[in-house]
Amino acid sequence: MNTNEQFEAVLAECRTLFAKKLHDYSASWRILRPESLTDQIFIKAKRIRTLEISGGKGMVDEGIRPEFIGIINYGIVGLIQLEKGFVDKVDVTNDEALALYDRHAKTTLELMKRKNHDYNEAWRGMRVSSYTDFILTKLQRTKEIEDLKGETLVSEGIDANYMDMINYATFGVIKLDEAANE
């Protein structure tokens, strides 16, 4: 597969999982404030870093790859919540939630493709642990922007940080898959 096909395959896998969770829980995430989603992504990124440092030895039998998948899906949910705001009661059907997911995933995928072109696939020469560190850095920046109530002087917004986290997590999944297939 070429890079764009790999990007699309990872996002298709994430969408399939998202749809299954919609079936099980509906769009219960509509209740989450963006700050809570930032913290949920933080938890996943910290777990990845802990597993990387410990050589993959965790007490819960889930590896790094599922955590990257979680970051991708929570990042897309974060983009939805930034657009729609949070609610006290689920206000969208599963079909509406999936349409929102698809729109934000497509926007993020298109950004990833443009950046990949401009950076000439530099991500392929990076270590998976660097993606984790970059995600953690983007999370720190996002928390700072949230604390500033979005009133920044020169920084991109929270949405750009979520999209970058999604992109780094996608790179992580691809690199892990390639390593597993070697």
Side-chain angles (χ1 to χ4, degrees), residues 152-165:
T152 61
L153 299 177
V154 295
S155 302
E156 294 179 307
I158 294 169
D159 58 340
N161 283 289
Y162 278 155
M163 284 191 260
D164 284 346
M165 289 182 246

Side-chain angles (χ1 to χ4, degrees), residues 43-58:
I43 290 167
K44 296 199 163 296
K46 286 294 284 188
R47 183 165 188 277
I48 292 169
R49 190 179 213 178
T50 299
L51 290 172
E52 288 170 346
I53 291 168
S54 71
K57 296 181 180 91

Side-chain angles (χ1 to χ4, degrees), residues 3-123:
T3 298
N4 287 345
E5 290 171 337
Q6 288 176 300
F7 289 168
E8 291 166 5
V10 171
L11 288 178
E13 178 184 348
C14 292
R15 184 191 191 277
T16 298
L17 179 61
F18 183 83
K20 288 177 180 177
K21 289 193 176 200
L22 271 176
H23 173 272
D24 292 351
Y25 308 128
S26 76
S28 59
W29 45 264
R30 286 287 296 127
I31 295 165
L32 293 170
R33 291 172 281 184
E35 296 86 353
S36 298
L37 285 159
T38 299
D39 286 342
Q40 181 63 38
I41 296 168
F42 175 76
I43 290 167
K44 296 199 163 296
K46 286 294 284 188
R47 183 165 188 277
I48 292 169
R49 190 179 213 178
T50 299
L51 290 172
E52 288 170 346
I53 291 168
S54 71
K57 296 181 180 91
M59 295 183 78
V60 177
D61 190 25
E62 294 174 357
I64 292 170
R65 189 181 188 283
E67 300 295 358
F68 277 133
I69 297 289
I71 289 171
I72 294 165
N73 279 343
Y74 279 117
I76 294 171
V77 167
L79 293 169
I80 295 168
Q81 293 298 81
L82 288 173
E83 174 192 339
K84 294 190 66 68
F86 65 92
V87 294
D88 290 328
K89 185 178 177 190
V90 175
D91 63 345
V92 295
T93 66
N94 289 356
D95 289 339
E96 291 167 334
L98 205 51
L100 288 163
Y101 181 96
D102 288 343
R103 185 164 47 81
H104 286 283
K106 181 180 182 207
T107 300
T108 303
L109 175 64
E110 292 307 316
L111 174 66
M112 189 182 332
K113 288 177 178 179
R114 289 191 309 273
K115 284 187 172 186
N116 188 52
H117 173 271
D118 289 354
Y119 287 95
N120 196 26
E121 299 209 343
W123 66 273

